[in-house]
Amino acid sequence: MDEWKRVAWSDESRFLIHHVDGCVRVRHLPGKQLLPSSTASHTQAGGGDQLHPYMVFVFPTGNGIFQQGNAPCHKARIVLEWFEEHTNEFHLMSWPPNSPYLVPMEHIWDVMMQQLRAETPPCPNILTLRDRCLDIWYNLSPVMYKKLVPSMPRRVAAVLKANGSTTHY
């Protein structure tokens, strides 16, 4: 159990305006530029430069473990290189590819999604969505967090019992 308390979990989720999933299409006349208000920028974050302050904050004495999805799309080269350089301080958890999804962060994303959907009116724009997500995130119950780590042995046991198949987690 103490080992799980040293893990920093990595995960991502997508939150949508008006809870509509799918592509957004913007029409414009040929040869005309799109208005900045009609486009969204996409930033590919450089994991290594953000990872060190995070790991030092979460594990100020070192000895922390970082867990990330092991699918190739989740393994950024810069993060892997960063862990090679900081192997004396922090460790990257060995996580098999195509393994059952055990990340407890999924529960947090579900709670946030439920709270977003319960709010009316729906978010009118991306800035309001961001603000609401941050507000929900900062007001999540610490009790919920404290329950997630102790659930890890049960999650692993359920996967073993199911021979690697799906579980209720």
Side-chain angles (χ1 to χ4, degrees), residues 3-39:
E3 193 90 0
W4 290 113
K5 291 178 183 176
R6 295 181 30 231
V7 176
W9 303 96
S10 168
D11 196 22
E12 74 285 331
S13 191
R14 182 172 65 162
F15 297 94
L16 303 166
I17 297 175
H18 304 295
H19 318 297
V20 176
D21 197 358
C23 297
V24 175
R25 290 170 179 80
V26 178
R27 295 181 182 188
H28 64 95
L29 296 171
K32 298 286 184 177
Q33 277 191 308
L34 291 174
L35 295 173
S37 61
S38 300
T39 62

Side-chain angles (χ1 to χ4, degrees), residues 1-12 50-60 62-70 74 79 82-83 89-95 101-106 108-109 137 145 148-149 152:
M1 173 57 74
D2 288 337
E3 193 90 0
W4 290 113
K5 291 178 183 176
R6 295 181 30 231
V7 176
W9 303 96
S10 168
D11 196 22
E12 74 285 331
Q50 297 171 19
L51 192 56
H52 192 252
Y54 171 75
M55 290 298 286
V56 169
F57 175 76
V58 176
F59 304 106
N63 206 21
I65 302 167
F66 185 74
Q67 186 278 333
Q68 66 180 353
N70 208 15
H74 290 163
V79 172
W82 186 88
F83 275 103
E89 300 171 74
F90 305 107
H91 304 284
L92 187 59
M93 181 184 285
S94 176
W95 203 255
Y101 204 68
L102 296 174
V103 178
M105 283 294 298
E106 285 299 318
I108 294 172
W109 298 145
W137 178 265
Y145 293 120
L148 290 175
V149 171
M152 286 310 297

